[in-house]
Amino acid sequence: MERLIVIGGVAAGLSAASAAKKLKKDSMDVTVFEKTGYVSYGACSEPYYISGIVPNPDDLIEVTPEDLEKKRKMHVFRRHEVVKVEYDKGMLDVLDIDRGVVSTHPFDYLVITTGAIAKRLGVKGEGMNGICTLRTVEDATKIKASASSAEQVAICGGGYIGLEMAEAFRHMGKEVTVLKKTAQMLMNFDPKMSSIVEEEVRSKGVKIITGVDILSFEGDNRVQQVITSEGAIPAQTVLISKGAVPNTSLALSFGVKTGKTGAIEVDLHQKTNLDRVYAAGDCAEAHHLILDGPAYIPLGTTANKTGRVAGENIGGLDTGFWGIVGTGVSKIFDLEVARTGLSLDEAQKNGLDAYATTITHGSRSGHYPGGSPLYVHLVTQSGTRKLLGAQIVGREGAALRINTLAAALHAGMSVDDLYHLDMGYAPPFAPVWDAVLIAANKARKG
Amino acid sequence: MERLIVIGGVAAGLSAASAAKKLKKDSMDVTVFEKTGYVSYGACSEPYYISGIVPNPDDLIEVTPEDLEKKRKMHVFRRHEVVKVEYDKGMLDVLDIDRGVVSTHPFDYLVITTGAIAKRLGVKGEGMNGICTLRTVEDATKIKASASSAEQVAICGGGYIGLEMAEAFRHMGKEVTVLKKTAQMLMNFDPKMSSIVEEEVRSKGVKIITGVDILSFEGDNRVQQVITSEGAIPAQTVLISKGAVPNTSLALSFGVKTGKTGAIEVDLHQKTNLDRVYAAGDCAEAHHLILDGPAYIPLGTTANKTGRVAGENIGGLDTGFWGIVGTGVSKIFDLEVARTGLSLDEAQKNGLDAYATTITHGSRSGHYPGGSPLYVHLVTQSGTRKLLGAQIVGREGAALRINTLAAALHAGMSVDDLYHLDMGYAPPFAPVWDAVLIAANKARKG
């Protein structure tokens, strides 16, 4: 019996464990160690649990630990942290957090899915009660409890999660202030596209302060105010939402290599530099098809996919993770906010000669009631007119339309190709010239 | 001043006229003759005008005749039918329908956008009042008036338009019976996918009778019942919705060639066999990229696009219509019904060795409320695993998802390529593994 140990039991970890066990049902023993109290949860749904749309933390669970054990025949240990890996011996030490006991386990294969760690500000008072980051279910439960007894909430950071959480807190009836260091909210969006989202967020009663430095937090046991370069902001709950960095310290400790992004370097099969050691999910790099190089864009989709590939290869298949194009979508209040590929800024920083075009067009036929404007922004390579990226914002039809542009990126389409796509038309769903085609037509004319 | 005459003033005709005039503002005189009383209308929205969702026939108009004249600087004649073309002389005769007067007009360029003619049954009593087909705004107005004074409505035919009209008549509070000669409703869908739609239509109180022959109509001045192989069906309004055939008789009369589909044969530029004579829209063939040959799939999108290409070429540009993949979407009661490419039946009839797979998956993350099942059906070429076609049915997210599959068809993707698409994920819009990816994963395993 071969032994697979998976370090981390969320999206990537359980995808790897399940795929490997499925392929080597009788010949592989699969054990998952997860340091939090939850496995197999939908982290992207945590804002909806905090807001109350999803009632219980258990509703975030995909597969229960019981089913993982009984149906998927793997061993799952929660609140167990792998603290040391002796690669040459094929042994690792695990701390049972609740009992304070360390045990040693042999392995033949290892999958590292240690995820990412929320960035902190590094300012005075950051350790106070009421100041949280959001990664785990425990984080979500803590934030929910804290915000329930808060009148005012401050969010430091205005990316996808920050703004999704602004919606969640407003849904809870809180006064919400978003504090953002830069002038723009969604940094990997075009400034104008981001400002459409910002306007929506403001219109829902959220106070947004941009270009602000967080200096410290003040309070007693619990935070009471955020001291900023623009003055003191009262808040009894603070969410720090500055993004995340790959959690690589354990991997580095036994010789696993990280790449230039800081995340673990993996090949097409999710294998690290060490034999029989794989990595997947938010701790690993992914191949970016437009940049033709590694990128660090930690997302649930990639975690599930890369986890599965790691597990399949351990299970004896020869499969690969072909790469990402940087697709991300979010619901921010009543807006669908979507992007794929590169922004103009990203393209230019990567040495690509590119230009951007933006159009507005209806989500439905003008004859049909209920439509709303869609903003479509395309980034096109000069000369070749190859599509490099796209962003769509609107009240309906933005999130799903981005997939067409993601497919176009995978296929290496030019905006001329895009303009000639045979897209579906019916008055309730699109105008006869879909907004994507209108955008492509503008882009191909430069 | 060169003279362009466009025969037909709806989607294709006005797209051609507008494109040519825009390019040759000062050097081309553009005249449009439309035999009905309406130009520039959204024919696909007619069911919504009949149901009352769109209040007035004028709400179906894209650009008013006044704006076409004043802003777009073209001459537009409604209720004017081109009755004779003398190609060699560059002259044509136009009948002013209301005044009964024929006038003669010279032309340098001609665009034929004579559209399609609704098929009839050819049975006794078909000329009675209350028996209608739906193509023009006048047809729609007539159907609306007739159905308003009917208790029972019968629809002969159960394609997209037949079923959209079933919804419209139910919205008007009518008893509706759909009579279909074949056992299946949507003939270019997989039987199982069609049956999902059929179940929805029945659940809304529509009576469906399949495998039935229409023998005759009975009534006095107005129809009262449909005599069928399954007995008499009472109906004071009957919609005959059996599809349409290209309206080519005028074109044929002066030497324009039709292709094997029966529609006008055109090249990449929408030019017919005759110099300076173009055709576009529902009277013309289109190049089908999957079949790599001509097809006749009359749709509003293709009409707009092919019209524009004809006009651009007349205007001096060298543009082409690259072709269709057969994308079509429809809202049928609460279902989104979408297809692209070939059905298994179409693939096999065209000599392609293919197989079909179907999956069901949620429209949203299981953690997020409000989702519903999406049915995704893929047709894959054996051996190459190339995607040949797709169908999606569901309460949300089917219509827009089909565009991703249309893009995949344009790009010649295999189902392996499709499985590796970086599709967007956020709980309100999709599960972490989108239904399209789940479908591709099943298809790639055969």
Side-chain angles (χ1 to χ4, degrees):
Chain A
M1 198 80 148
E2 288 180 310
R3 294 186 196 87
L4 164 62
I5 290 181
V6 178
I7 308 172
V10 197
L14 285 178
S15 296
S18 301
K21 186 65 188 174
K22 200 173 168 186
L23 288 161
K24 291 195 170 169
K25 217 170 195 137
D26 302 318
S27 62
M28 187 163 282
D29 185 73
V30 177
T31 303
V32 177
F33 294 114
E34 164 59 37
K35 72 175 176 186
T36 78
Y38 292 86
V39 288
S40 187
Y41 58 87
C44 301
S45 293
E46 287 168 355
Y48 309 111
Y49 157 58
I50 294 167
S51 73
I53 290 173
V54 172
N56 301 302
D58 284 351
D59 298 331
L60 299 174
I61 306 304
E62 296 274 347
V63 188
T64 63
E66 292 69 34
D67 279 352
L68 292 170
E69 295 267 358
K70 283 185 195 151
K71 294 190 186 159
R72 298 204 187 167
K73 309 280 183 198
M74 54 182 78
H75 316 295
V76 175
F77 296 89
R78 286 172 286 170
R79 294 186 60 75
H80 277 66
E81 184 175 5
V82 176
V83 288
K84 187 177 167 191
V85 177
E86 292 185 279
Y87 174 67
D88 294 333
K89 294 188 189 162
M91 302 291 279
L92 55 73
D93 289 351
V94 181
L95 169 68
D96 177 337
I97 294 170
D98 292 326
R99 294 197 298 150
V101 177
V102 172
S103 55
T104 300
H105 302 259
F107 64 87
D108 299 300
Y109 291 92
L110 209 57
V111 180
I112 306 167
T113 61
T114 44
I117 301 166
K119 283 187 199 166
R120 305 289 299 196
L121 292 163
V123 300
K124 205 182 131 197
E126 203 170 349
M128 262 186 286
N129 282 339
I131 302 180
C132 323
T133 55
L134 178 58
R135 298 288 308 168
T136 65
V137 179
E138 284 90 346
D139 291 341
T141 302
K142 193 173 132 196
I143 293 168
K144 190 179 173 80
S146 175
S148 296
S149 65
E151 252 181 65
Q152 292 136 325
V153 176
I155 298 168
C156 304
Y160 274 163
I161 296 173
L163 296 182
E164 286 175 3
M165 285 304 301
E167 181 183 353
F169 291 132
R170 285 300 292 159
H171 199 264
M172 293 174 83
K174 307 300 164 188
E175 258 180 55
V176 181
T177 305
V178 175
L179 302 164
K180 180 83 177 165
K181 194 179 174 67
T182 53
Q184 181 179 329
M185 299 303 284
L186 299 167
M187 286 306 291
N188 54 4
F189 276 72
D190 174 72
K192 235 174 144 179
M193 299 294 278
S194 175
S195 74
I196 296 163
V197 180
E198 193 176 320
E199 198 179 304
E200 166 79 5
V201 174
R202 282 189 207 273
S203 79
K204 300 296 182 175
V206 175
K207 197 171 165 191
I208 295 178
I209 306 174
T210 56
V212 64
D213 284 317
I214 314 287
L215 304 176
S216 65
F217 297 98
E218 286 187 356
D220 29 62
N221 188 26
R222 180 176 182 170
V223 66
Q224 294 300 335
Q225 54 184 3
V226 188
I227 308 302
T228 79
S229 55
E230 305 288 314
I233 311 294
Q236 300 80 48
T237 296
V238 174
L239 174 70
I240 297 173
S241 182
K242 307 283 294 175
V245 290
N247 182 12
T248 55
S249 44
L250 180 72
L252 288 169
S253 75
F254 67 96
V256 172
K257 269 175 64 179
T258 53
K260 65 174 184 181
T261 68
I264 298 170
E265 208 174 272
V266 290
D267 67 10
L268 180 70
H269 310 293
Q270 297 299 134
K271 205 179 76 56
T272 69
N273 59 305
L274 299 183
D275 254 7
R276 305 206 283 186
V277 177
Y278 293 75
D282 291 359
C283 63
E285 296 183 341
H287 181 71
H288 195 297
L289 293 164
I290 309 305
L291 295 174
D292 194 21
Y296 183 63
I297 305 177
L299 286 174
T301 41
T302 309
N304 273 274
K305 292 173 178 182
T306 54
R308 181 183 283 182
V309 167
E312 285 173 344
N313 282 275
I314 292 167
L317 294 184
D318 176 16
T319 62
F321 179 67
W322 294 4
I324 59 172
V325 294
T327 312
V329 301
S330 177
K331 176 183 171 295
I332 298 175
F333 289 96
D334 295 339
L335 283 185
E336 301 184 5
V337 180
R339 57 157 281 151
T340 189
L342 308 179
S343 67
L344 182 62
D345 189 48
E346 288 168 331
Q348 288 170 342
K349 277 184 181 149
N350 282 281
L352 293 161
D353 187 13
Y355 60 94
T357 45
T358 308
I359 62 101
T360 312
H361 200 57
S363 61
R364 307 180 184 186
S365 164
H367 310 306
Y368 196 88
S372 52
L374 278 169
Y375 299 85
V376 183
H377 174 87
L378 300 184
V379 179
T380 309
Q381 187 167 28
S382 306
T384 64
R385 294 216 289 257
K386 202 180 142 181
L387 183 71
L388 295 176
Q391 298 164 24
I392 313 183
V393 170
R395 287 181 194 280
E396 62 174 11
L400 293 180
R401 270 185 180 83
I402 206 71
N403 292 326
T404 303
L405 293 149
L409 287 174
H410 275 270
M413 285 188 188
S414 69
V415 290
D416 304 87
D417 295 323
L418 193 61
Y419 171 72
H420 285 90
L421 283 191
D422 186 8
M423 293 182 73
Y425 162 57
F429 309 124
V432 69
W433 286 98
D434 192 276
V436 168
L437 303 180
I438 300 280
N441 195 33
K442 183 167 184 185
R444 78 198 182 112
K445 291 172 178 171
Chain B
M1 198 79 149
E2 288 181 311
R3 293 185 197 89
L4 163 63
I5 289 180
V6 178
I7 308 172
V10 197
L14 285 178
S15 295
S18 300
K21 185 66 188 175
K22 200 173 168 187
L23 288 161
K24 291 195 170 171
K25 216 168 196 142
D26 303 317
S27 61
M28 188 164 280
D29 185 74
V30 177
T31 303
V32 178
F33 294 114
E34 165 57 38
K35 73 175 175 185
T36 78
Y38 292 87
V39 288
S40 187
Y41 59 88
C44 301
S45 294
E46 287 168 356
Y48 309 110
Y49 158 58
I50 294 167
S51 72
I53 290 174
V54 172
N56 302 302
D58 283 350
D59 298 330
L60 300 173
I61 306 304
E62 295 275 348
V63 188
T64 62
E66 294 67 34
D67 278 352
L68 291 169
E69 295 266 357
K70 281 183 197 155
K71 293 189 186 160
R72 298 204 186 169
K73 308 283 182 196
M74 54 182 78
H75 316 295
V76 174
F77 296 89
R78 285 172 286 168
R79 295 187 59 74
H80 278 67
E81 184 175 5
V82 176
V83 289
K84 188 177 166 191
V85 176
E86 293 187 280
Y87 174 66
D88 294 335
K89 292 187 189 164
M91 302 290 279
L92 54 73
D93 290 351
V94 181
L95 170 67
D96 176 338
I97 293 169
D98 292 327
R99 293 196 300 151
V101 176
V102 173
S103 54
T104 300
H105 302 261
F107 65 85
D108 299 299
Y109 290 93
L110 208 58
V111 180
I112 306 166
T113 62
T114 44
I117 300 166
K119 283 186 198 166
R120 305 290 298 198
L121 293 163
V123 301
K124 205 183 133 197
E126 204 169 349
M128 263 186 286
N129 281 340
I131 303 180
C132 322
T133 55
L134 176 58
R135 297 290 307 169
T136 65
V137 179
E138 284 89 346
D139 292 342
T141 302
K142 193 173 134 196
I143 292 167
K144 190 177 172 79
S146 175
S148 297
S149 65
E151 252 180 65
Q152 292 136 325
V153 176
I155 299 169
C156 305
Y160 274 162
I161 295 174
L163 296 183
E164 286 175 3
M165 285 304 301
E167 182 183 351
F169 290 133
R170 286 299 291 157
H171 199 263
M172 294 174 81
K174 308 300 164 188
E175 258 182 53
V176 181
T177 306
V178 175
L179 302 163
K180 180 83 178 167
K181 194 178 174 70
T182 53
Q184 181 178 331
M185 300 302 283
L186 299 168
M187 287 306 290
N188 56 4
F189 275 72
D190 173 72
K192 234 175 143 181
M193 298 293 280
S194 176
S195 74
I196 296 164
V197 180
E198 193 176 319
E199 198 181 304
E200 165 80 5
V201 174
R202 284 189 206 273
S203 80
K204 300 297 182 177
V206 174
K207 197 171 165 190
I208 295 178
I209 307 174
T210 55
V212 64
D213 283 318
I214 313 288
L215 304 175
S216 65
F217 297 97
E218 285 185 357
D220 30 60
N221 188 26
R222 180 176 183 169
V223 65
Q224 294 300 334
Q225 53 184 5
V226 188
I227 308 302
T228 79
S229 55
E230 306 287 313
I233 311 293
Q236 301 80 48
T237 295
V238 174
L239 175 70
I240 297 172
S241 182
K242 308 283 293 174
V245 290
N247 182 13
T248 55
S249 45
L250 179 73
L252 288 168
S253 76
F254 68 94
V256 172
K257 268 176 64 178
T258 53
K260 67 174 184 182
T261 69
I264 297 170
E265 208 174 272
V266 289
D267 67 10
L268 180 69
H269 310 293
Q270 298 298 134
K271 206 180 75 58
T272 69
N273 60 307
L274 299 183
D275 254 5
R276 305 205 285 187
V277 178
Y278 294 75
D282 291 359
C283 63
E285 296 183 340
H287 181 72
H288 195 296
L289 293 165
I290 308 305
L291 295 174
D292 194 22
Y296 183 64
I297 305 177
L299 286 175
T301 42
T302 309
N304 274 274
K305 291 173 180 184
T306 54
R308 181 183 283 183
V309 167
E312 284 173 344
N313 280 277
I314 293 167
L317 293 185
D318 176 17
T319 62
F321 179 67
W322 294 4
I324 58 172
V325 293
T327 312
V329 299
S330 177
K331 177 184 170 296
I332 297 175
F333 290 96
D334 295 338
L335 283 185
E336 302 184 5
V337 180
R339 57 156 281 152
T340 189
L342 308 179
S343 67
L344 182 62
D345 189 49
E346 289 168 330
Q348 287 170 342
K349 278 185 180 148
N350 282 281
L352 293 162
D353 187 11
Y355 60 94
T357 45
T358 308
I359 62 100
T360 312
H361 201 57
S363 62
R364 306 182 185 185
S365 165
H367 310 304
Y368 196 88
S372 52
L374 278 169
Y375 300 85
V376 183
H377 174 88
L378 299 184
V379 179
T380 308
Q381 187 168 28
S382 305
T384 63
R385 293 217 289 255
K386 203 180 141 179
L387 182 72
L388 295 176
Q391 299 164 21
I392 313 183
V393 170
R395 286 180 197 282
E396 63 174 10
L400 292 181
R401 271 186 180 81
I402 206 71
N403 293 326
T404 303
L405 293 149
L409 287 174
H410 276 269
M413 284 188 188
S414 70
V415 288
D416 304 87
D417 295 323
L418 193 60
Y419 171 71
H420 285 89
L421 282 192
D422 187 8
M423 293 182 73
Y425 161 57
F429 309 124
V432 69
W433 286 98
D434 193 277
V436 168
L437 303 182
I438 300 281
N441 195 32
K442 183 168 183 184
R444 79 199 181 111
K445 291 172 179 170

